Amino acid sequence: MEEATVPLFQQVADLIADAIVDGSLPEGERAPSTNELATFHHINPATARKGLALLVEQGVLSKRRGVGMFVETGAKKVIVSIRKQNFAHNFVVPLIDEAAKLGMNREDLTTLITQVSESRGLYE
């Protein structure tokens, strides 16, 4: 998926979710505010607000009136679960479709995945 086709509010939500998953925004910590996100990314505050609202809906962030948004306990687990559910649709289906267009069979694809995995240190 090309980043240009992903709505800005979703990109904001994904950036925050990435920070939670990689640990740079730990559970219990204050998340960036709407204004901080808007200023830093040069976007409309309404767009930043919509990205934050998406994470609130997913149970990843919670609002503390007068204080800000905070990362919920278990947020990383929620994000990983959602991403695993979407993995096949977002990555495996396009991979298989492209392999079919290129005339690759299952064995070719398996070999390629194994080679790339090994080059990335996934399989030793």
Side-chain angles (χ1 to χ4, degrees), residues 92-118:
V92 179
V93 170
L95 173 75
I96 299 297
D97 290 348
E98 185 65 18
K101 289 176 192 173
L102 297 173
M104 298 173 73
N105 61 31
R106 185 183 302 189
E107 184 178 330
D108 295 336
L109 191 54
T110 302
T111 300
L112 179 62
I113 289 171
T114 300
Q115 289 171 344
V116 172
S117 297
E118 288 172 351

Side-chain angles (χ1 to χ4, degrees), residues 9 28 85 89 100 122:
F9 76 91
Q85 290 172 6
H89 174 74
L122 189 58

Side-chain angles (χ1 to χ4, degrees), residues 16-84:
I16 294 169
D18 287 346
I20 293 168
V21 170
D22 74 18
S24 60
L25 183 57
E27 295 177 0
E29 291 293 312
R30 188 179 76 77
S33 71
T34 298
N35 291 333
E36 289 169 340
L37 289 167
T39 300
F40 184 80
H41 295 289
H42 306 288
I43 59 175
N44 188 309
T47 302
R49 189 175 307 108
K50 192 171 179 181
L52 290 170
L54 181 61
L55 295 173
V56 170
E57 289 173 22
Q58 294 173 344
V60 171
L61 297 179
S62 63
K63 297 177 188 179
R64 294 188 192 162
R65 191 173 188 102
V67 184
M69 297 272 195
F70 286 80
V71 181
E72 282 288 303
T73 300
K76 180 177 179 177
K77 186 176 179 180
V78 169
I79 295 165
V80 170
S81 176
I82 291 168
R83 287 182 175 186
K84 281 183 179 180

